[in-house]
Amino acid sequence: MKPRTPVRQRIGSLLLAGLAAGILPGFEPADMPESPPWPMVDQLLLPEIRADHPALSQTDILIDVGHGGVDGGTVYGDILEKNINLEIARRTYDALRGSGYTVLLNRVGDYALSSDNHWLNSRSRHLKDLAQRSHLAKEVSPKVMISLHVNSAKSSSKRGALLIHQKGKESRKLALCLQEALNPLYGTDTEPVYGRSYYLMKHVEAPSVIVEMGYLTNEEDRRLLLDAASQQKIAERIAAGVRTYLDVHAR
């Protein structure tokens, strides 16, 4: 086991960097460095600092940014899902912060969360990545968690956002709010589905959903997912759905 003090010192420096970058509530800098865009927020979520920094245990929304690092997710030509997830997650973060919510991201750069998982005795990188995501959600204990992903299908005609929810009724309500917010953007009437076999849906206690933000295999969806203005619209619709749930259903 690594000594506790060096870890606390490293986390402390990262926390200050997070505050300076405007990631955590309470500080808006005049000038933000262009590179790196943000420090690794997932490193701020260790239980040993939560008592000193209560904002981390009073989180409204945890945004789970799908894939990262060696795991590119869905691929179409040279287009990687992980990059789309991160870009829309950043925009969603800004939209929700702008509404006054406390929001955290579990990935702010191109890296795999599995590399931070030194506690699970498994040879599966994929399982370690998922377990780390669920562990972080448990430590933060948000009101809701949204996991952002991009879909694919054998048929190029299949399109639109798809919400995947847990078994619980609150997750179903959250999924419906998000689905109703996103459907008009794609011109679809998709219904949320129950994610019986999804690891995160089974292992995260807070009301959680997976947001499949469109199909890379569909030309219209692909254009929406890659265009900056359209990414902003998707982020705003996601934020609107979350707001509806928190303001109306989660009281």
Side-chain angles (χ1 to χ4, degrees):
M1 189 178 209
K2 293 184 179 180
R4 186 182 182 90
T5 301
V7 171
R8 289 183 63 85
Q9 290 175 344
R10 180 166 180 256
I11 296 303
S13 63
L14 284 168
L15 179 62
L16 291 174
L19 287 168
I23 295 174
L24 299 179
F27 185 81
E28 295 294 338
D31 298 301
M32 292 178 62
E34 293 185 1
S35 181
W38 291 331
M40 295 172 60
V41 173
D42 54 298
Q43 296 296 325
L44 302 179
L45 307 184
L46 297 182
E48 60 199 53
I49 69 164
R50 290 178 64 219
D52 295 332
H53 305 285
L56 297 180
S57 58
Q58 297 172 2
T59 302
D60 293 314
I61 304 114
L62 173 62
I63 301 176
D64 173 64
V65 189
H67 306 286
V70 296
D71 180 6
T74 294
V75 179
Y76 186 89
D78 60 353
I79 304 169
L80 301 178
E81 175 191 352
K82 64 177 183 177
N83 298 326
I84 297 172
N85 294 342
L86 182 57
E87 183 57 38
I88 297 179
R90 288 173 170 175
R91 295 174 182 273
T92 304
Y93 169 89
D94 288 338
L96 288 167
R97 277 289 307 282
S99 295
Y101 294 107
T102 302
V103 191
L104 288 177
L105 296 159
N106 64 6
R107 178 168 77 83
V108 295
D110 185 16
Y111 51 88
L113 270 66
S114 56
S115 61
D116 293 326
N117 188 332
H118 305 291
W119 53 271
L120 183 66
N121 186 20
S122 172
R123 303 178 95 180
S124 169
R125 182 206 54 77
H126 182 61
L127 181 58
K128 292 182 75 170
D129 182 272
L130 292 172
Q132 184 71 359
R133 292 171 189 271
S134 63
H135 174 70
L136 293 174
K138 181 179 179 181
E139 293 299 329
V140 175
S141 190
K143 292 179 182 177
V144 299
M145 185 186 80
I146 56 173
S147 181
L148 304 188
H149 287 266
V150 172
N151 224 334
S152 67
K154 291 182 179 180
S155 172
S156 61
S157 64
K158 196 163 188 178
R159 71 172 310 224
L162 174 65
L163 270 292
I164 300 168
H165 62 85
Q166 298 162 302
K167 188 175 183 179
K169 63 179 182 179
E170 291 304 314
S171 174
R172 170 73 179 175
K173 288 179 184 178
L174 176 60
L176 284 168
C177 290
L178 282 157
Q179 192 76 70
E180 290 173 2
L182 285 164
N183 276 347
L185 184 61
Y186 300 85
T188 56
D189 57 357
T190 307
E191 290 287 329
V193 298
Y194 168 41
R196 180 187 300 274
S197 62
Y198 286 78
Y199 184 98
L200 279 183
M201 297 297 94
K202 293 190 292 184
H203 290 85
V204 176
E205 295 179 4
S208 304
V209 294
I210 294 173
V211 187
E212 295 283 0
M213 300 178 291
Y215 289 80
L216 267 187
T217 43
N218 177 270
E219 184 178 356
E220 292 175 90
D221 279 9
R222 194 163 57 249
R223 186 165 56 248
L224 285 173
L225 292 165
L226 295 175
D227 175 70
S230 298
Q231 289 176 341
Q232 184 64 31
K233 291 179 181 178
I234 293 171
E236 289 172 357
R237 295 296 180 100
I238 292 172
V242 172
R243 282 196 301 269
T244 298
Y245 173 79
L246 290 176
D247 293 349
V248 176
H249 298 287
R251 290 181 176 178

